[in-house]
Amino acid sequence: MNKQDISVQLYTTRKFQPYPPILNFIKEAGVVNLELFGLETMNIDEFKNMMISNNITSHSTHIGFEAFHDTKNIINRAKELNIKHVIVPAPPARKDGDFKSSFEMSEEEWTAFGKDLSSYVSQIEDAGLTLG
């Protein structure tokens, strides 16, 4: 596989900040793509500058489902970074438990989550993005 065909999921590096040396390490390894996370709150200009200085791009981002409540913000930020794919990696975390308990859902709860997520497809696609 060509290193230019893969992305490093930035989430896996979140505990090793600051990001400039991480992006430099990724660049020196020959990887040129990132999957971002935290798009809804990150400093877009700062991160864009870091990516440009390391000749790194991002084609995808994963965001918490709750961030879709401000869909316009997600779309604008994705476009600012030339991101094409917005991915929701998990259902919303339960307020009364840990992250693992988020997956302990009934069939009805999973179906409702799928319908909720699907309700954003047209907005995302109309903006020229894909939702996963």
Side-chain angles (χ1 to χ4, degrees), residues 63-69 87-94 99 102-103 105-121 131-132:
I63 63 168
F65 179 72
E66 297 87 346
F68 272 116
H69 295 357
I87 301 159
V88 177
R94 294 182 184 254
F99 180 73
S102 296
F103 301 103
M105 295 176 15
S106 69
E107 181 178 343
E108 292 79 21
E109 290 171 312
W110 277 108
T111 299
F113 169 62
K115 287 179 181 178
D116 287 347
L117 185 59
S118 295
S119 71
Y120 293 98
V121 170
L131 175 62

Side-chain angles (χ1 to χ4, degrees), residues 61-79:
T61 184
H62 71 265
I63 63 168
F65 179 72
E66 297 87 346
F68 272 116
H69 295 357
D70 190 357
T71 309
K72 187 174 182 177
N73 179 49
I74 295 301
I75 290 170
N76 290 340
R77 288 168 163 272
K79 287 186 168 209

Side-chain angles (χ1 to χ4, degrees), residues 36 39 44 48 51-52 57-60 75-85 129:
L36 299 180
L39 180 69
I44 294 290
K48 187 175 185 178
M51 288 175 31
I52 289 169
T57 61
S58 179
H59 302 290
S60 61
I75 290 170
N76 290 340
R77 288 168 163 272
K79 287 186 168 209
E80 178 72 23
L81 293 173
N82 296 315
I83 291 170
K84 301 294 180 203
H85 311 287
L129 307 171

